[in-house]
Coordinates of all heavy atoms in Angstrom, one line a residue:
S73 N 7.9 36.0 -28.3 CA 8.5 36.8 -29.4 C 7.4 37.5 -30.1 O 7.7 38.4 -30.9 CB 9.2 35.9 -30.4 OG 8.4 34.9 -30.9
S74 N 6.1 37.2 -29.9 CA 5.1 37.9 -30.7 C 4.0 38.4 -29.7 O 2.9 37.8 -29.6 CB 4.4 37.0 -31.8 OG 5.4 36.6 -32.7
P75 N 4.3 39.4 -28.8 CA 3.3 39.8 -27.9 C 2.1 40.4 -28.6 O 2.3 41.0 -29.6 CB 4.1 40.8 -27.0 CG 5.1 41.3 -27.9 CD 5.5 40.2 -28.8
S76 N 1.0 40.3 -27.9 CA -0.2 41.0 -28.5 C 0.0 42.5 -28.5 O 0.5 43.0 -27.6 CB -1.5 40.6 -27.7 OG -1.3 40.9 -26.4
P77 N -0.5 43.2 -29.6 CA -0.2 44.6 -29.7 C -0.9 45.4 -28.5 O -2.0 45.0 -28.2 CB -0.8 45.0 -31.0 CG -1.8 43.9 -31.4 CD -1.2 42.7 -30.7
S78 N -0.2 46.4 -28.0 CA -0.8 47.2 -27.0 C -1.3 48.5 -27.6 O -0.8 48.9 -28.7 CB 0.2 47.5 -25.9 OG 1.3 48.2 -26.5
P79 N -2.2 49.3 -26.9 CA -2.7 50.5 -27.5 C -1.6 51.5 -27.7 O -0.6 51.6 -27.0 CB -3.7 51.0 -26.5 CG -4.0 49.8 -25.7 CD -2.8 49.0 -25.7
S80 N -1.7 52.3 -28.8 CA -0.7 53.4 -29.0 C -0.6 54.3 -27.9 O -1.6 54.8 -27.3 CB -1.1 54.1 -30.3 OG -0.3 55.3 -30.4
P81 N 0.6 54.7 -27.4 CA 0.7 55.6 -26.3 C 0.1 57.0 -26.6 O -0.1 57.8 -25.6 CB 2.2 55.7 -26.0 CG 2.8 55.3 -27.3 CD 1.9 54.3 -28.0
T82 N -0.1 57.4 -27.8 CA -0.6 58.8 -28.1 C -2.1 58.7 -28.4 O -2.7 59.8 -28.6 CB 0.1 59.4 -29.3 OG1 0.0 58.5 -30.5 CG2 1.6 59.6 -29.0
A83 N -2.7 57.5 -28.5 CA -4.1 57.5 -28.9 C -5.0 57.9 -27.8 O -5.9 58.7 -28.0 CB -4.4 56.0 -29.3
S84 N -4.8 57.5 -26.6 CA -5.7 57.8 -25.5 C -5.6 59.2 -25.1 O -6.6 59.8 -24.7 CB -5.5 56.8 -24.3 OG -4.2 56.9 -23.9
P85 N -4.4 59.9 -25.0 CA -4.4 61.3 -24.5 C -5.0 62.3 -25.5 O -5.1 63.5 -25.2 CB -2.9 61.6 -24.3 CG -2.3 60.2 -24.3 CD -3.1 59.4 -25.2
A86 N -5.3 61.9 -26.8 CA -5.7 62.9 -27.8 C -6.9 63.8 -27.3 O -6.8 65.0 -27.5 CB -6.1 62.1 -29.1
P87 N -7.9 63.2 -26.7 CA -9.0 64.1 -26.3 C -8.5 65.2 -25.3 O -8.9 66.3 -25.4 CB -10.0 63.2 -25.7 CG -9.7 61.9 -26.3 CD -8.3 61.8 -26.5
A88 N -7.7 64.8 -24.4 CA -7.2 65.8 -23.4 C -6.4 66.8 -24.1 O -6.4 68.0 -23.7 CB -6.3 65.0 -22.4
A89 N -5.5 66.5 -25.1 CA -4.7 67.4 -25.8 C -5.6 68.4 -26.5 O -5.3 69.6 -26.6 CB -3.8 66.7 -26.8
E90 N -6.7 67.9 -27.1 CA -7.6 68.8 -27.9 C -8.3 69.8 -26.9 O -8.4 71.0 -27.2 CB -8.6 68.0 -28.6 CG -8.1 67.2 -29.8 CD -9.1 66.3 -30.4 OE1 -10.3 66.3 -29.9 OE2 -8.8 65.5 -31.3
E91 N -8.6 69.3 -25.7 CA -9.3 70.2 -24.8 C -8.3 71.3 -24.3 O -8.7 72.4 -24.2 CB -9.7 69.3 -23.5 CG -10.9 68.4 -23.8 CD -11.2 67.5 -22.7 OE1 -10.6 67.8 -21.6 OE2 -12.1 66.6 -22.8
K92 N -7.0 70.9 -24.1 CA -6.0 71.9 -23.7 C -5.8 72.9 -24.8 O -5.7 74.1 -24.5 CB -4.7 71.2 -23.4 CG -3.6 72.1 -22.9 CD -2.3 71.4 -22.6 CE -1.3 72.3 -22.1 NZ 0.0 71.6 -21.8
S93 N -5.7 72.5 -26.0 CA -5.6 73.4 -27.2 C -6.7 74.4 -27.2 O -6.5 75.6 -27.4 CB -5.4 72.6 -28.5 OG -5.3 73.5 -29.5
A94 N -7.9 73.9 -27.1 CA -9.1 74.8 -27.1 C -9.1 75.7 -26.0 O -9.5 76.9 -26.1 CB -10.4 73.9 -27.1
A95 N -8.6 75.3 -24.8 CA -8.6 76.2 -23.6 C -7.6 77.3 -23.7 O -7.8 78.4 -23.2 CB -8.3 75.3 -22.4
T96 N -6.4 77.0 -24.4 CA -5.4 78.0 -24.5 C -5.4 78.8 -25.8 O -4.7 79.8 -25.9 CB -4.0 77.3 -24.4 OG1 -3.9 76.4 -25.5 CG2 -3.8 76.6 -23.1
A97 N -6.3 78.5 -26.7 CA -6.4 79.3 -27.9 C -6.8 80.7 -27.6 O -7.6 81.0 -26.7 CB -7.4 78.6 -28.9
A98 N -6.3 81.7 -28.4 CA -6.7 83.1 -28.2 C -8.2 83.3 -28.5 O -8.7 82.8 -29.4 CB -5.9 84.0 -29.2
P99 N -8.8 84.0 -27.6 CA -10.3 84.2 -27.8 C -10.5 85.1 -29.0 O -9.8 86.0 -29.3 CB -10.7 85.0 -26.5 CG -9.4 85.6 -26.0 CD -8.3 84.7 -26.4
T100 N -11.5 84.7 -29.7 CA -11.9 85.5 -30.9 C -12.6 86.8 -30.5 O -13.3 86.8 -29.5 CB -12.8 84.7 -31.8 OG1 -14.0 84.3 -31.0 CG2 -12.1 83.4 -32.3
E101 N -12.3 87.9 -31.2 CA -12.9 89.1 -30.9 C -14.4 89.1 -31.2 O -14.8 88.5 -32.2 CB -12.3 90.3 -31.8 CG -10.9 90.6 -31.4 CD -10.4 91.8 -32.1 OE1 -11.2 92.4 -32.8 OE2 -9.2 92.1 -32.0
P102 N -15.2 89.7 -30.4 CA -16.7 89.7 -30.7 C -16.9 90.5 -31.9 O -16.2 91.4 -32.2 CB -17.3 90.3 -29.4 CG -16.1 91.1 -28.8 CD -14.9 90.4 -29.1
P103 N -17.9 90.2 -32.7 CA -18.2 90.9 -33.9 C -18.6 92.4 -33.5 O -19.2 92.7 -32.5 CB -19.5 90.2 -34.4 CG -20.1 89.5 -33.3 CD -18.9 89.1 -32.4
K104 N -18.1 93.3 -34.4 CA -18.4 94.7 -34.2 C -19.9 95.0 -34.4 O -20.5 94.4 -35.3 CB -17.6 95.6 -35.1 CG -16.1 95.5 -34.9 CD -15.3 96.2 -35.9 CE -13.8 96.0 -35.7 NZ -13.0 96.7 -36.8
P105 N -20.5 95.9 -33.6 CA -21.9 96.2 -33.8 C -22.1 96.8 -35.2 O -21.2 97.4 -35.8 CB -22.1 97.3 -32.8 CG -21.1 97.1 -31.7 CD -19.9 96.6 -32.5
A106 N -23.2 96.6 -35.8 CA -23.6 97.0 -37.1 C -23.5 98.6 -37.1 O -23.9 99.2 -36.2 CB -24.9 96.5 -37.5
L107 N -23.0 99.1 -38.2 CA -23.0 100.6 -38.4 C -24.3 101.1 -38.8 O -25.0 100.5 -39.6 CB -21.9 100.9 -39.5 CG -20.5 100.4 -39.3 CD1 -19.6 100.9 -40.4 CD2 -20.0 100.8 -37.9
E108 N -24.7 102.2 -38.3 CA -26.0 102.8 -38.6 C -26.0 103.3 -40.0 O -27.0 103.3 -40.7 CB -26.3 104.0 -37.6 CG -26.4 103.6 -36.2 CD -25.1 103.6 -35.5 OE1 -24.1 103.9 -36.1 OE2 -25.1 103.3 -34.3
T109 N -24.9 103.8 -40.5 CA -24.7 104.2 -41.9 C -23.2 104.0 -42.3 O -22.3 104.1 -41.4 CB -25.0 105.7 -42.1 OG1 -24.9 106.1 -43.5 CG2 -24.1 106.6 -41.3
T110 N -23.0 103.6 -43.5 CA -21.6 103.3 -44.0 C -21.1 104.4 -44.9 O -19.9 104.4 -45.2 CB -21.6 102.0 -44.7 OG1 -22.5 102.1 -45.9 CG2 -22.0 100.9 -43.8
S111 N -21.9 105.4 -45.2 CA -21.5 106.5 -46.1 C -21.6 107.8 -45.4 O -22.7 108.2 -44.8 CB -22.4 106.5 -47.4 OG -22.0 107.5 -48.2
L112 N -20.5 108.6 -45.4 CA -20.6 109.9 -44.8 C -19.5 110.8 -45.4 O -18.6 110.4 -46.1 CB -20.4 109.9 -43.3 CG -19.0 109.5 -42.8 CD1 -18.9 110.0 -41.3 CD2 -18.8 108.0 -42.8
S113 N -19.6 112.1 -45.2 CA -18.7 113.1 -45.6 C -18.0 113.7 -44.4 O -18.6 114.1 -43.4 CB -19.3 114.2 -46.4 OG -19.9 113.7 -47.6
I114 N -16.7 113.9 -44.5 CA -15.9 114.5 -43.5 C -15.2 115.7 -44.1 O -14.5 115.6 -45.1 CB -14.8 113.6 -42.9 CG1 -15.5 112.3 -42.3 CG2 -14.0 114.3 -41.8 CD1 -14.6 111.3 -41.7
G115 N -15.3 116.9 -43.5 CA -14.7 118.1 -44.0 C -13.4 118.4 -43.2 O -13.2 118.1 -42.0
T116 N -12.5 119.0 -44.0 CA -11.2 119.4 -43.4 C -10.6 120.5 -44.3 O -11.3 120.9 -45.2 CB -10.2 118.2 -43.3 OG1 -9.0 118.6 -42.6 CG2 -9.8 117.6 -44.6
A117 N -9.4 121.0 -43.9 CA -8.8 122.1 -44.7 C -7.6 121.6 -45.4 O -7.0 120.6 -45.1 CB -8.5 123.3 -43.8
R118 N -7.2 122.4 -46.4 CA -6.0 122.1 -47.2 C -4.7 122.4 -46.5 O -4.0 123.3 -46.9 CB -6.1 122.8 -48.5 CG -7.2 122.3 -49.5 CD -7.1 123.0 -50.8 NE -8.1 122.4 -51.7 CZ -7.9 121.3 -52.5 NH1 -6.7 120.7 -52.4 NH2 -8.9 120.9 -53.3
D119 N -4.5 121.8 -45.3 CA -3.2 122.1 -44.6 C -2.8 120.9 -43.8 O -3.6 119.9 -43.6 CB -3.3 123.4 -43.8 CG -4.3 123.3 -42.6 OD1 -4.3 122.2 -41.9 OD2 -5.1 124.2 -42.5
T120 N -1.6 120.9 -43.3 CA -1.1 119.8 -42.6 C -1.5 119.7 -41.1 O -1.1 118.8 -40.4 CB 0.5 119.8 -42.6 OG1 0.9 121.1 -42.2 CG2 0.9 119.6 -44.0
Q121 N -2.3 120.7 -40.7 CA -2.8 120.7 -39.3 C -4.1 119.9 -39.1 O -4.3 119.3 -38.2 CB -3.0 122.1 -38.8 CG -1.7 122.9 -38.6 CD -1.0 123.2 -39.8 OE1 0.1 122.5 -40.1 NE2 -1.4 124.1 -40.7
L122 N -5.0 120.0 -40.1 CA -6.3 119.5 -40.0 C -6.5 118.2 -40.8 O -7.3 117.4 -40.4 CB -7.3 120.6 -40.5 CG -7.2 122.0 -39.9 CD1 -8.4 122.8 -40.4 CD2 -7.1 121.9 -38.4
S123 N -5.8 118.0 -41.9 CA -6.2 117.0 -42.8 C -5.5 115.6 -42.7 O -6.0 114.6 -43.2 CB -6.1 117.5 -44.3 OG -4.7 117.7 -44.6
P124 N -4.2 115.6 -42.2 CA -3.4 114.3 -42.3 C -4.1 113.0 -41.9 O -4.0 112.0 -42.6 CB -2.2 114.6 -41.5 CG -2.0 116.1 -41.7 CD -3.4 116.6 -41.6
L125 N -4.7 113.0 -40.7 CA -5.3 111.7 -40.3 C -6.4 111.3 -41.2 O -6.5 110.1 -41.5 CB -5.8 111.9 -38.8 CG -4.8 112.3 -37.8 CD1 -5.5 112.2 -36.4 CD2 -3.6 111.4 -37.8
I126 N -7.2 112.2 -41.7 CA -8.3 111.9 -42.6 C -7.8 111.4 -43.9 O -8.2 110.4 -44.5 CB -9.2 113.1 -42.7 CG1 -9.9 113.4 -41.4 CG2 -10.3 112.8 -43.8 CD1 -10.5 114.8 -41.3
V127 N -6.8 112.1 -44.5 CA -6.2 111.8 -45.8 C -5.6 110.4 -45.7 O -5.8 109.5 -46.6 CB -5.1 112.8 -46.2 CG1 -4.3 112.3 -47.3 CG2 -5.8 114.1 -46.5
I128 N -4.8 110.1 -44.7 CA -4.2 108.8 -44.6 C -5.2 107.6 -44.4 O -5.0 106.6 -45.0 CB -3.1 108.8 -43.4 CG1 -2.0 109.7 -43.8 CG2 -2.6 107.4 -43.1 CD1 -1.0 110.0 -42.7
A129 N -6.2 107.9 -43.6 CA -7.2 106.9 -43.4 C -7.9 106.5 -44.8 O -8.3 105.3 -45.0 CB -8.3 107.3 -42.4
N130 N -8.0 107.5 -45.6 CA -8.6 107.2 -47.0 C -7.5 106.5 -47.8 O -7.8 105.5 -48.5 CB -9.0 108.5 -47.7 CG -10.5 108.7 -47.6 OD1 -11.3 107.8 -47.6 ND2 -10.9 110.0 -47.6
E131 N -6.3 107.0 -47.9 CA -5.3 106.5 -48.7 C -4.8 105.1 -48.3 O -4.5 104.2 -49.2 CB -4.1 107.4 -48.8 CG -4.3 108.8 -49.4 CD -4.6 108.6 -50.9 OE1 -3.9 107.8 -51.6 OE2 -5.5 109.3 -51.4
E132 N -4.8 104.8 -47.1 CA -4.3 103.5 -46.6 C -5.5 102.5 -46.4 O -5.3 101.3 -46.1 CB -3.6 103.6 -45.2 CG -2.2 104.2 -45.4 CD -1.3 103.3 -46.1 OE1 -1.2 102.0 -45.8 OE2 -0.6 103.7 -47.0
G133 N -6.7 102.9 -46.7 CA -7.8 102.0 -46.7 C -8.4 101.7 -45.3 O -9.1 100.8 -45.1
Y134 N -8.0 102.6 -44.3 CA -8.5 102.3 -42.9 C -10.0 102.5 -42.8 O -10.6 101.8 -42.0 CB -7.7 103.3 -42.0 CG -6.2 103.0 -41.9 CD1 -5.3 104.1 -41.7 CD2 -5.7 101.7 -42.1 CE1 -4.0 103.9 -41.6 CE2 -4.3 101.5 -42.1 CZ -3.5 102.6 -41.8 OH -2.1 102.4 -41.8
F135 N -10.5 103.5 -43.5 CA -12.0 103.7 -43.5 C -12.7 102.5 -44.0 O -13.7 102.0 -43.5 CB -12.4 104.9 -44.3 CG -12.1 106.2 -43.6 CD1 -11.6 107.3 -44.3 CD2 -12.4 106.4 -42.2 CE1 -11.3 108.5 -43.6 CE2 -12.1 107.6 -41.6 CZ -11.6 108.7 -42.3
K136 N -12.2 101.9 -45.1 CA -12.8 100.8 -45.7 C -12.7 99.5 -44.8 O -13.6 98.7 -44.8 CB -12.2 100.5 -47.1 CG -12.5 101.5 -48.2 CD -12.0 101.1 -49.5 CE -12.5 102.1 -50.6 NZ -12.0 101.7 -52.0
E137 N -11.6 99.4 -44.1 CA -11.4 98.3 -43.2 C -12.5 98.4 -42.1 O -12.9 97.3 -41.5 CB -10.1 98.4 -42.5 CG -8.9 98.0 -43.4 CD -7.6 98.1 -42.7 OE1 -7.5 98.4 -41.5 OE2 -6.5 98.0 -43.4
E138 N -13.0 99.5 -41.8 CA -14.1 99.7 -40.8 C -15.5 99.7 -41.4 O -16.5 99.9 -40.8 CB -13.9 101.0 -40.1 CG -12.6 101.1 -39.2 CD -12.6 100.0 -38.1 OE1 -13.7 99.6 -37.6 OE2 -11.5 99.6 -37.7
G139 N -15.5 99.4 -42.7 CA -16.8 99.3 -43.4 C -17.4 100.6 -43.8 O -18.6 100.7 -44.1
L140 N -16.5 101.6 -44.0 CA -17.0 103.0 -44.3 C -16.6 103.4 -45.7 O -15.6 103.1 -46.2 CB -16.4 104.0 -43.3 CG -16.8 103.8 -41.8 CD1 -15.9 104.7 -40.9 CD2 -18.2 104.1 -41.6
E141 N -17.5 104.2 -46.3 CA -17.2 104.9 -47.5 C -17.2 106.4 -47.2 O -18.3 107.0 -47.0 CB -18.3 104.6 -48.6 CG -18.2 103.2 -49.1 CD -16.9 102.9 -50.0 OE1 -16.4 103.9 -50.5 OE2 -16.5 101.8 -50.1
V142 N -16.0 107.0 -47.1 CA -15.9 108.3 -46.6 C -15.5 109.3 -47.8 O -14.5 109.0 -48.5 CB -14.8 108.5 -45.5 CG1 -14.6 109.9 -45.2 CG2 -15.3 107.7 -44.3
K143 N -16.3 110.3 -48.0 CA -15.9 111.4 -48.9 C -15.3 112.5 -48.2 O -15.8 113.1 -47.2 CB -17.2 111.9 -49.6 CG -16.9 113.0 -50.7 CD -18.2 113.4 -51.3 CE -17.9 114.5 -52.4 NZ -19.1 115.0 -53.0
T144 N -14.0 112.9 -48.6 CA -13.3 113.9 -47.9 C -13.6 115.2 -48.6 O -13.4 115.4 -49.8 CB -11.8 113.7 -47.9 OG1 -11.5 112.4 -47.3 CG2 -11.1 114.8 -47.2
E145 N -14.1 116.2 -47.9 CA -14.4 117.6 -48.4 C -13.3 118.5 -48.0 O -13.0 118.7 -46.8 CB -15.7 118.1 -47.9 CG -16.9 117.2 -48.3 CD -17.4 117.4 -49.7 OE1 -16.8 118.3 -50.4 OE2 -18.4 116.8 -50.1
L146 N -12.5 119.1 -48.9 CA -11.4 120.0 -48.6 C -11.9 121.5 -48.7 O -12.4 121.9 -49.7 CB -10.2 119.8 -49.5 CG -9.6 118.4 -49.4 CD1 -8.5 118.2 -50.5 CD2 -9.0 118.2 -48.0
F147 N -11.7 122.2 -47.6 CA -12.1 123.6 -47.5 C -10.8 124.5 -47.4 O -9.7 124.0 -47.1 CB -13.0 123.9 -46.4 CG -14.3 123.1 -46.5 CD1 -14.5 121.9 -46.0 CD2 -15.4 123.7 -47.2 CE1 -15.7 121.2 -46.1 CE2 -16.6 123.0 -47.3 CZ -16.8 121.8 -46.8
A148 N -11.0 125.8 -47.5 CA -9.9 126.7 -47.4 C -9.4 126.8 -45.9 O -8.2 127.0 -45.7 CB -10.3 128.1 -47.9
A149 N -10.4 126.8 -45.0 CA -10.0 127.0 -43.6 C -11.1 126.5 -42.6 O -12.2 126.1 -43.1 CB -9.7 128.5 -43.3
G150 N -10.8 126.5 -41.3 CA -11.7 125.9 -40.3 C -13.1 126.5 -40.3 O -14.0 125.8 -40.2
P151 N -13.2 127.9 -40.4 CA -14.6 128.4 -40.4 C -15.5 127.8 -41.5 O -16.7 127.7 -41.3 CB -14.3 129.9 -40.7 CG -13.0 130.2 -40.1 CD -12.2 128.9 -40.4
D152 N -14.9 127.5 -42.7 CA -15.7 126.9 -43.8 C -16.1 125.5 -43.4 O -17.2 125.1 -43.7 CB -14.8 126.9 -45.1 CG -14.4 128.3 -45.5 OD1 -15.2 129.2 -45.4 OD2 -13.2 128.4 -45.9
V153 N -15.2 124.8 -42.7 CA -15.6 123.4 -42.2 C -16.8 123.5 -41.3 O -17.7 122.7 -41.4 CB -14.4 122.8 -41.5 CG1 -14.8 121.4 -41.0 CG2 -13.2 122.6 -42.5
I154 N -16.7 124.4 -40.3 CA -17.8 124.5 -39.3 C -19.1 125.0 -39.9 O -20.2 124.5 -39.6 CB -17.3 125.5 -38.2 CG1 -16.1 125.0 -37.5 CG2 -18.5 125.7 -37.2 CD1 -16.2 123.6 -37.0
A155 N -19.0 125.9 -40.9 CA -20.2 126.3 -41.6 C -20.9 125.1 -42.3 O -22.1 125.0 -42.3 CB -19.9 127.4 -42.6
A156 N -20.1 124.3 -43.0 CA -20.6 123.1 -43.7 C -21.2 122.1 -42.7 O -22.2 121.5 -42.9 CB -19.5 122.4 -44.5
L157 N -20.6 122.0 -41.5 CA -21.1 121.1 -40.4 C -22.5 121.7 -39.9 O -23.4 120.9 -39.7 CB -20.1 121.1 -39.3 CG -20.2 119.9 -38.3 CD1 -20.1 118.6 -38.9 CD2 -19.2 120.1 -37.2
G158 N -22.5 123.0 -39.8 CA -23.8 123.6 -39.3 C -24.9 123.4 -40.3 O -26.1 123.2 -39.9
S159 N -24.6 123.4 -41.6 CA -25.6 123.2 -42.7 C -25.9 121.7 -42.9 O -26.8 121.3 -43.7 CB -25.2 123.8 -44.0 OG -24.1 123.1 -44.5
K160 N -25.1 120.8 -42.2 CA -25.2 119.4 -42.3 C -24.9 118.8 -43.7 O -25.3 117.7 -44.1 CB -26.6 118.9 -42.0 CG -27.0 119.2 -40.5 CD -28.4 118.6 -40.1 CE -28.7 118.8 -38.7 NZ -30.0 118.2 -38.3
S161 N -24.1 119.6 -44.5 CA -23.6 119.1 -45.8 C -22.5 118.1 -45.5 O -22.1 117.3 -46.4 CB -23.2 120.2 -46.7 OG -22.1 120.9 -46.1
I162 N -21.8 118.2 -44.4 CA -20.9 117.2 -43.9 C -21.3 116.7 -42.5 O -22.1 117.4 -41.8 CB -19.4 117.7 -43.8 CG1 -19.4 118.9 -42.8 CG2 -18.9 118.2 -45.2 CD1 -17.9 119.4 -42.6
Q163 N -20.9 115.5 -42.1 CA -21.3 115.0 -40.9 C -20.3 115.1 -39.7 O -20.6 115.3 -38.6 CB -21.6 113.5 -41.0 CG -22.9 113.2 -41.8 CD -22.8 113.5 -43.3 OE1 -21.9 113.0 -44.0 NE2 -23.6 114.4 -43.8
L164 N -19.0 115.1 -40.1 CA -17.9 115.3 -39.2 C -16.9 116.3 -39.8 O -16.9 116.5 -41.1 CB -17.1 114.0 -38.9 CG -17.9 112.9 -38.3 CD1 -17.0 111.6 -38.2 CD2 -18.5 113.2 -36.9

Side-chain angles (χ1 to χ4, degrees):
S73 60
S74 300
S76 57
S78 61
S80 168
T82 59
S84 57
E90 290 174 3
E91 290 175 8
K92 183 178 179 181
S93 176
T96 58
T100 57
E101 291 186 7
K104 296 174 184 175
L107 305 181
E108 299 86 0
T109 181
T110 59
S111 179
L112 72 156
S113 294
I114 302 179
T116 186
R118 291 183 176 276
D119 64 49
T120 52
Q121 290 65 256
L122 310 187
S123 66
L125 300 187
I126 298 166
V127 168
I128 289 169
N130 258 329
E131 292 294 319
E132 284 294 312
Y134 297 147
F135 284 136
K136 288 186 178 180
E137 288 177 6
E138 296 296 333
L140 298 167
E141 288 293 334
V142 172
K143 180 180 180 183
T144 303
E145 301 278 1
L146 295 174
F147 297 91
D152 302 317
V153 175
I154 300 303
L157 196 61
S159 69
K160 298 186 178 182
S161 63
I162 61 174
Q163 288 71 56
L164 301 176

